[in-house]
Amino acid sequence: MSILLRRFPRRAQVIPVFGVIAIVIYTWTLMRFFWKLPSWLYFLNGGEIVASVAYLLVINFLESLAFLCGPLLLAFVLPEKWFRDVFVARGTGLALAGLGCMMLLAEQFNNFNDYPTLSLPLWPVALALAGIAVLVYLCGRIALLRRVLEAVADRVSIFAYVLTPLSLLSLALVVVRSALG
Amino acid sequence: MPALTRRDFLKLGSALSGAAALAHLAPGELSARAESGAAPSILVFVFDAMSARNLSLYGYHRQTTPNFIRFAQRATVFNQHYSAANFTTPGTASLLTGLYPWTHRAINQSGLIARTLAGQNIFRALGGKYYRLAFSQNMWANYFFGQFRGEIEETLSPAAFSLVEHIIGDKLPGDFGLTHRVLDEFLLQGGQAPPALVFGLAERLLLRRAYARTASQDYERGLPHTGYYPIFFRLSDIFDGMMATVDRLVAPSFAYLHDWAPHAPYRPSMRFDQHFADGWRPKTKPDHILGDHSLPQHMNVRRQNYDEYVANVDYEFGRLLDFLSAKGILDTSYVVVTSDHGEMFERGVEGHSTPLLYEPVVRVPLLISAPGQQTRRDVNIPTSSIDLLPTLAHLAGREVPAWCEGQLLPGLGGAEEARQSVYMMDAQTDPAYLPLRRATVALRKENYKLIYYMGFEQYGRQDHFELYDIASDPEELKDLYSVSSPTAQDLRREVLERVQAENAKFAQAG
């Protein structure tokens, strides 16, 4: 068991990467929420707005955890030198490139006329995956890039400490609301 | 207990299958129980965005509704019936509360009824002796069901009877309204980049795959769907589902069944696609300053699509009618057919989310068949959607609630009061808790209709009025408004006083 656990990165490595993932995912949602908020303020009361935010935070927290599974899985599967030993840099690179590609893909769903039959050729997807792989590789090979990514992840890790308790509090609120009906 | 032999088992099997076959032909529970003297059941079928102007029942050029005409032969037909508003939220709220939008305040897109008034609804008005069931494919009506939940025994999912759906709000029934709003309306809504980056994108890709795998050969333009929500359906399935639902109800029941069709996107089945490719062009009306400036040729194409979808709805309604008749439900129950608002293809506007309150967008069908009614009756005075609640309460033997702003419908407890004033309004850009500032209010009285535009930039934020004689000018082409016209000034005074009185209730808040 301990041999298996040793294949995973340390907590100190995981938290900065989680912070990067969380800040991107939460920002993506909250930007759209603030765009929507003025219309909701026309008819929802304060309690309903707070509860809505709670739902969003819980969903974002679960999304962040789900995405984190990607780098963790790679660290587990790949040789230690390839990923685990440079987990912060390569995990951050993977998070930024992966989530960036997901944003580009998400924007393709902007057209209501295509809904839900968006034409999605395979070659851009393959190209994006190859690009992400190259970028992640370079994150560990180019010292400057590695240092920059580690510095960014280190500074962003504060959000992991802010967003996690907020999300857990939100989860409690959601559970209470569902239970009370 | 004696052992069951193989012979016994086969006998039992054939007896059960025979009983099942007979049950399909047997009278439904609604009619069976009604014979024992229970209060009459009430079935309300709402077809979203169905304009009376596009129904051959009301004299439309195209033969869109032969089955509505068939139903009319045993119903009271209201020929001047108006929805109190021009889109689902206020229109449905008025139907369900018997209140005008300036009172119930569900005036914004996806808005809610004022919390203090949520107890004033049709489900409560009919009382607990009824088994009360609510179904709406339109999510915005579902928000009201969430507000009324204490008074509804059963609420069906908006995704019920659909082919492909990704609705998750109702999987968390403890927080009914908010989960639909946050999860389905915000996080997963179509036509935009999903605000939930990981789950939203995954949902969109899964939906795309599920949709591609669904057989939809009978819908050349793609499966009908409920606007921006991930609910895709066959119209025939929705009607089959509604029939199955009605079939299992026990008298006395009240069922509110709100069908998305013929709301956009207009996607009729193959049978009705190009059904009205007749080259007909309606009279072109002038572009309105508050319109969207859509081109007439584009609006004509959309009108044709809409008419075909209406004809498709009518075809399915014919099947429903046959079912209700065969089950004896028409003999024992009140059956109501109406809409929450209309649809418009003129003056540069295509759809109904517009400040223009011309006839196509506010005049809706209303047909009410009383138990055993065999003849048609026509009511030609203006009536309002807010009149339905008091009428149904009256027909159910309940007292008409004092808070109700509507009146009993003529022929169903009410008298033909020719001077009744009927209002319609749109104030979707105003906050729900402040006085009306930028709104359109229309007043229909006797032969006339006054339209009052308040606070629009296009009119320099000054009051602007239009007046039409609906009896002699049903197309609303000749604006009769003038400061020297006594009729215009009487109606102007009446509408201004009413708006002022309603706004005064919110003066402190403003």
Side-chain angles (χ1 to χ4, degrees), chain B residues 253-405:
Chain B
S253 284
F254 169 69
Y256 175 88
L257 303 159
H258 188 140
D259 182 0
W260 177 268
H263 192 294
Y266 318 126
R267 290 185 172 177
S269 65
M270 291 272 274
R271 184 188 174 118
F272 294 93
D273 205 12
Q274 298 302 312
H275 194 64
F276 294 122
D278 50 13
W280 176 65
R281 295 285 175 268
K283 187 181 287 185
T284 302
K285 296 183 181 177
D287 216 32
H288 197 283
I289 191 172
L290 299 179
D292 304 326
H293 314 298
S294 290
L295 296 172
Q297 52 268 44
H298 177 71
M299 288 187 293
N300 283 337
V301 171
R302 298 289 288 156
R303 175 193 287 268
Q304 182 191 319
N305 295 159
Y306 176 73
D307 289 346
E308 287 160 356
Y309 204 23
V310 169
N312 196 169
V313 171
D314 175 79
Y315 173 79
E316 296 298 336
F317 179 73
R319 289 201 307 121
L320 173 69
L321 196 54
D322 292 341
F323 163 82
L324 295 174
S325 183
K327 289 282 180 181
I329 294 170
L330 287 174
D331 296 325
T332 57
S333 309
Y334 284 97
V335 176
V336 180
V337 174
T338 189
S339 181
D340 53 347
H341 57 82
E343 198 80 328
M344 184 166 165
F345 303 93
E346 58 181 50
R347 302 171 206 261
V349 174
E350 172 209 308
H352 53 267
S353 190
T354 168
L356 307 185
L357 298 181
Y358 292 108
E359 294 288 273
V361 93
V362 286
R363 220 187 105 207
V364 293
L366 176 64
L367 300 96
I368 301 179
S369 170
Q373 184 171 347
Q374 294 298 331
T375 54
R376 171 171 175 156
R377 177 171 182 201
D378 285 88
V379 173
N380 296 312
I381 63 158
T383 52
S384 170
S385 56
I386 65 167
D387 299 336
L388 192 62
L389 186 150
T391 304
L392 294 184
H394 171 75
L395 296 175
R398 303 272 296 180
E399 268 195 33
V400 174
W403 42 261
C404 222
E405 292 180 330

